[in-house]
Amino acid sequence: SLPAKLINGGIAGLIGVTCVFPIDLAKTRLQNQQNGQRMYTSMSDCLIKTIRSEGYFGMYRGAAVNLTLVTPEKAIKLAANDFFRHHLSKDGKKLTLLREMLAGCGAGTCQVIVTTPMEMLKIQLQDAGRIAAQKKLMAAQAQLSSSSGAGAAEPAVERRPTATQITRELLRSKGIAGLYKGLGATLLRDVPFSIVYFPLFANLNKLGQKDPNVKAPFYVSFLSGCVAGSTAAVAVNPCDVIKTRLQSLQRGVNEDTYSGILDCTKKIWQKEGPMAFLKGAYCRALVIAPLFGIAQVVYFIGIAEFLLDMLPKHRA
């Protein structure tokens, strides 16, 4: 049932995001740093420096936004894919690969309604620590290089805005369109991701089914979700780099700004080289693999069906 699908998708999203959010934060910071302004050399370096400068909970900056909006996002994505697969199937027959890809395309298109503002807010909160650390480092270097640095005052501590403050400012200055900055880039990432992910997952999961009418074991669903998720994540990582850069409202010292997808692509290619489009790819794979593995296990086990079935019994 649709309520069960929505609940399953929401539970899966909450569990998955809680487990992998620090890696997602590292991915955002690695993707946003540009040549000449590198604060981090790797995922582990980023996480260690984040803990040292911002504390343990610094790794979870922006998590509240994700945890709030990931439920409708994952619910829409999973339920929409099932909806399109159902309507594209002919008399219950097996879907062709093309129809599976079309169903994934429909799911990816539907989810951006929630994904775009969620990513927009999350990126600002995740990257604020990198920008603050970069400014602090630049101030320290300037202080050391100046002859009168010994008696110079400490730089003022910058207060980081909350998700609510960012939302209000965007709505005040740009209206609802402000929250949907980078919509095109988000579509460019999520639609191909779903086109790759859902057919690949469905076919991998079928390999573990002894009977077409019986669900695959939970570990098969988990592994299928991990493999399909990480494969799709790496495949669309260049689009994710572009989306992350476009949605960042604040820049570090001497970092480029972009007017659109083509301008962003051109500047990254010319100034940072083609390998820049793979920044954070392994982080993204590490985020997406367990996220979708957990999602598919929860979804296929059907926790919501169990909960919904228990309600009438409890009332009785």
Side-chain angles (χ1 to χ4, degrees):
S1 65
L2 183 59
K5 290 175 183 177
L6 296 178
I7 294 170
N8 280 332
I11 292 171
L14 290 171
I15 295 171
V17 167
T18 303
C19 293
V20 301
F21 193 84
I23 304 173
D24 187 62
L25 179 134
K27 181 217 63 144
T28 297
R29 294 187 177 186
L30 288 170
Q31 286 182 340
N32 262 337
Q33 65 179 7
Q34 300 177 20
N35 288 347
Q37 302 295 335
R38 292 168 62 88
M39 291 292 300
Y40 316 108
T41 57
S42 64
M43 180 186 74
S44 57
D45 180 56
C46 178
L47 293 176
I48 290 168
K49 286 179 178 176
T50 299
I51 293 171
R52 284 176 180 171
S53 61
E54 303 170 55
Y56 175 78
F57 290 104
M59 296 191 297
Y60 282 88
R61 292 194 184 279
V65 174
N66 240 35
L67 291 171
T68 302
L69 296 178
V70 74
T71 299
E73 185 219 24
K74 287 292 176 286
I76 289 170
K77 188 184 189 83
L78 294 171
N81 182 65
D82 272 5
F83 173 83
F84 287 116
R85 287 178 70 91
H86 174 73
H87 285 277
L88 286 169
S89 63
K90 292 182 177 179
D91 302 322
K93 292 181 181 178
K94 181 182 176 182
L95 284 173
T96 62
L97 180 60
L98 177 60
R99 287 176 180 268
E100 286 184 329
M101 293 172 72
L102 285 173
C105 178
T109 304
C110 289
Q111 80 168 85
V112 297
I113 297 169
V114 176
T115 303
T116 306
M118 179 182 76
E119 292 274 310
M120 178 73 180
L121 295 171
K122 182 193 74 171
I123 285 170
Q124 314 317 314
L125 298 169
Q126 285 183 328
D127 205 37
R130 180 187 71 90
I131 293 171
Q134 189 187 85
K135 287 179 179 178
K136 189 176 179 181
L137 180 63
M138 295 290 287
Q141 289 174 346
Q143 198 175 46
L144 286 172
S145 62
S146 65
S147 57
S148 59
E154 286 288 324
V157 178
E158 209 173 306
R159 293 188 68 181
R160 294 172 192 168
T162 64
T164 304
Q165 290 171 337
I166 295 170
T167 303
R168 284 176 181 169
E169 178 58 27
L170 285 171
L171 290 173
R172 185 189 64 78
S173 60
K174 299 181 181 179
I176 194 70
L179 289 173
Y180 281 86
K181 184 182 179 183
L183 175 62
T186 306
L187 278 168
L188 198 63
R189 181 198 67 172
D190 288 347
V191 171
F193 178 92
S194 295
I195 288 173
V196 173
Y197 173 77
F198 283 110
L200 182 56
F201 169 79
N203 286 284
L204 287 173
N205 197 54
K206 282 175 187 174
L207 296 176
Q209 289 179 278
K210 295 179 180 179
D211 187 321
N213 297 317
V214 178
K215 287 181 181 179
F218 80 92
Y219 61 86
V220 173
S221 292
F222 176 77
L223 291 174
S224 299
C226 287
V227 172
S230 57
T231 302
V234 173
V236 302
N237 195 74
C239 301
D240 190 56
V241 172
I242 294 168
K243 181 201 73 67
T244 301
R245 296 280 181 95
L246 288 175
Q247 287 189 318
S248 297
L249 298 175
Q250 293 188 346
R251 305 287 176 189
V253 182
N254 300 324
E255 289 184 344
D256 286 327
T257 57
Y258 312 102
S259 60
I261 295 172
L262 292 177
D263 180 56
C264 182
T265 305
K266 183 180 176 182
K267 285 180 178 176
I268 292 173
W269 184 278
Q270 290 177 342
K271 297 185 178 183
E272 301 174 58
M275 290 305 293
F277 291 103
L278 292 178
K279 281 184 177 181
Y282 67 97
C283 291
R284 184 162 163 76
L286 288 174
V287 169
I288 296 296
L291 187 63
F292 278 83
I294 293 167
Q296 291 297 352
V297 168
V298 172
Y299 200 61
F300 275 81
I301 287 176
I303 292 175
E305 285 88 341
F306 173 76
L307 294 174
L308 291 171
D309 286 344
M310 289 296 291
L311 283 176
K313 294 177 184 178
H314 178 69
R315 287 171 184 167

